[in-house]
Amino acid sequence: MSASDLHPNLQPMFEEVLRRNPGESEFHQAVFELIHSLTPIAGKQPEYIKWSILNRICEPERQIIFRVPWIDDSGAVHINRGFRVQFNSALGPFKGGLRFHPSVNLSIIKFLGFEQTFKNALTGMPIGGGKGGSDFDPKGRSDAEIMRFCQSFMTELYRHVGEYRDVPAGDIGVGGREIGFLFGQYKRITGHYESGVFTGKGLTWGGSQVRTEATGYGVTFFAEEMLRVKGESFDGKRVLVSGSGNVAIYAVEKVAQLGGTVVAVSDSDGVVLDEKGIDLDLLKEVKEVRRERLTEYAAARGGSARHTAGGSIWDIPCDVALPCATQNELDESGAIALVANGVRLVAEGANMPTTPEAIRVLQDAKVLYAPGKASNAGGVATSALEMQQNASRDSWDFESTEARLQQIMSDIHGRCVEAADEYGDPGNYVMGANVAAYTKVADAMVALGLI
Ligand code: NDP
């Protein structure tokens, strides 16, 4: 991943990003992937890669970093760091989740906000891109501690968000419980009930059907479209889903509904292999209700499930792999193992889970590969449906909302395929997604003038 790997017209732009953002390796990786995909444009439509567009797109509109003090149950004081990067609002209000995880830093939030901008453009909905979070670790914290942290976080963030300004949602470590505490504090400080300021809300207080399921269902619908192009389906396929959080659980559910068998899931401690197929009810009980580790799943499941501490899920033979945990979880050795065991399709549920080296291995082996900005866009797309329902004081039923999601994923798939065909590399979902999204954002930025 160096500037010399890029088209000569694109090299100065990437060098400038490296110079201005030192040490931000995840952000560099995300920018490199996008710029690399613009190679066909650099030859055909050089007006799109002018300094005034490409460099502006790589510079967030606004970056907010703030102190988050809070007190734990024993009375001890903790200081965390909060972030909100408002990356690009050419297509609509900033939109993107909040991540609470000890690894969070500015580089990670910027890479996520950058990716979000293009993902949101691909959905075809009027939303810009942003991302935020904190290096707070929610693991093992009581509900009261989580609430105090969320209230402190929101006491600063409230002034930067709003229905027409910036609309956060969940991500790693931020689910329905956290959104409730954050939204509650916003309502308390501002004194009005502005449902459209958050998405991922509970169903009884402004949330949308299918939002919880949307990212996991969406990546599975996208993979189904990829299989359909090849005349195949999920029926009878053996599937790996990494992670065991929100995205992973609902990918497991939808794969099973479509006739596939998920044989393994993981968390940051290890992997569970369950040859009979993951027991969804048990997985939900352990992870969503009891908030326990996968070792508890294996213990409760008995004979058919085996937990391996620290193991790599990618060593397990499969037809389809859905990385749904975190960034850079699928590296070159993981991709080599997947290819050696005959994988045919990899679609990302997580954001940037596959390293550039691993992507090369998959593409060289002609494995169908979809980048997260296309395949995991179902979450934010359903968030935009939640915003629509809030704006019209309406709520839709599960079936019609799921049908909308499925149609949106099919449309995103179509946009990727069309752009890849048009720019001369059929089947290259990375190039297709990046070119389709970039040109859409760039057109809007040009139309709005130099701002
Ligand atoms: P959750 O916090 O619900 O779950 C994350 C899961 O990943 C947990 O099971 C966690 O395990 C596991 N995990 C974290 N790090 C590792 C690791 N190094 N190896 C293996 N497993 C790991 O988050 P989400 O499911 O919401 O998000 C997952 C990914 O999907 C993220 O990349 C996120 O940005 C992306 N995404 C999420 C969307 C959403 O709607 N939620 C939308 C679009 C993308 P443990 O409990 O041990 O930490």
Side-chain angles (χ1 to χ4, degrees), residues 99 139 171-173 211 215 244-247 267-268 293 325 351:
R99 175 178 292 191
K139 241 179 242 163
D171 189 76
I172 292 179
R211 178 59 190 91
T215 309
S244 46
N246 172 262
V247 179
D267 62 17
S268 50
R293 314 300 300 159
N351 284 312

Side-chain angles (χ1 to χ4, degrees), residues 410-434:
S410 168
D411 292 346
I412 296 172
H413 179 269
R415 286 182 192 112
C416 296
V417 168
E418 202 178 305
D421 288 351
E422 184 183 340
Y423 287 90
D425 196 357
N428 186 339
Y429 285 89
V430 179
M431 193 268 271
N434 282 328

Side-chain angles (χ1 to χ4, degrees), residues 59-73:
E59 183 69 18
E61 287 182 34
R62 190 172 296 108
Q63 307 180 54
I64 302 144
I65 303 180
F66 52 98
R67 183 170 66 199
V68 189
W70 60 282
I71 296 176
D72 71 19
D73 288 345

Side-chain angles (χ1 to χ4, degrees), residues 382-439:
T382 308
S383 279
L385 299 180
E386 183 174 333
M387 291 163 75
Q388 282 183 26
Q389 292 168 76
N390 293 152
S392 58
R393 304 282 188 266
D394 198 2
S395 61
W396 308 339
D397 64 25
F398 193 96
E399 289 69 29
S400 61
T401 314
E402 188 185 5
R404 293 277 300 264
L405 168 65
Q406 190 165 9
Q407 184 60 51
I408 290 167
M409 296 316 296
S410 168
D411 292 346
I412 296 172
H413 179 269
R415 286 182 192 112
C416 296
V417 168
E418 202 178 305
D421 288 351
E422 184 183 340
Y423 287 90
D425 196 357
N428 186 339
Y429 285 89
V430 179
M431 193 268 271
N434 282 328
V435 167
Y438 175 83
T439 50

Side-chain angles (χ1 to χ4, degrees), residues 41 62 129 142 149 156 211-212 220 230 269 288 335 346 363 381 389 402 416 421 446:
I41 294 191
R62 190 172 296 108
S142 68
F149 176 81
E156 172 60 31
R211 178 59 190 91
T212 304
T220 314
K230 298 287 172 196
D269 296 336
E288 288 187 326
V346 175
Q363 290 183 328
Q389 292 168 76
E402 188 185 5
C416 296
D421 288 351
V446 170

Side-chain angles (χ1 to χ4, degrees), residues 97-101 111-112 116 119 131 137-139 169-175 211-216 242-249 265-271 287 292-294 311 313-314 323-329 348-353 372 375-380 383:
L98 298 172
R99 175 178 292 191
F100 292 168
H101 192 272
F111 114 66
L112 289 165
Q116 193 82 47
K119 178 189 311 191
K131 199 82 186 188
D137 187 357
K139 241 179 242 163
D171 189 76
I172 292 179
V174 178
R211 178 59 190 91
T212 304
E213 296 83 357
T215 309
S242 66
S244 46
N246 172 262
V247 179
I249 287 172
V265 292
S266 62
D267 62 17
S268 50
D269 296 336
V271 179
K287 299 302 287 194
E292 287 176 347
R293 314 300 300 159
L294 280 177
I313 193 170
W314 314 121
C324 294
T326 194
Q327 65 273 359
N328 292 328
E329 53 164 317
E348 296 181 342
N351 284 312
M352 209 169 75
S375 51
N376 74 27
V380 74
S383 279

Side-chain angles (χ1 to χ4, degrees), residues 62-135:
R62 190 172 296 108
Q63 307 180 54
I64 302 144
I65 303 180
F66 52 98
R67 183 170 66 199
V68 189
W70 60 282
I71 296 176
D72 71 19
D73 288 345
S74 71
V77 170
H78 298 260
I79 308 296
N80 283 101
R81 186 170 289 173
F83 300 88
R84 187 71 184 167
V85 173
Q86 298 180 328
F87 221 105
N88 193 302
S89 62
L91 297 178
F94 304 105
K95 178 88 197 88
L98 298 172
R99 175 178 292 191
F100 292 168
H101 192 272
S103 65
V104 162
N105 57 35
L106 186 59
S107 171
I108 288 184
I109 298 299
K110 279 171 71 177
F111 114 66
L112 289 165
F114 184 76
E115 291 273 297
Q116 193 82 47
T117 299
F118 302 105
K119 178 189 311 191
N120 294 3
L122 278 175
T123 66
M125 301 169 103
I127 39 179
K131 199 82 186 188
S134 174
D135 57 1

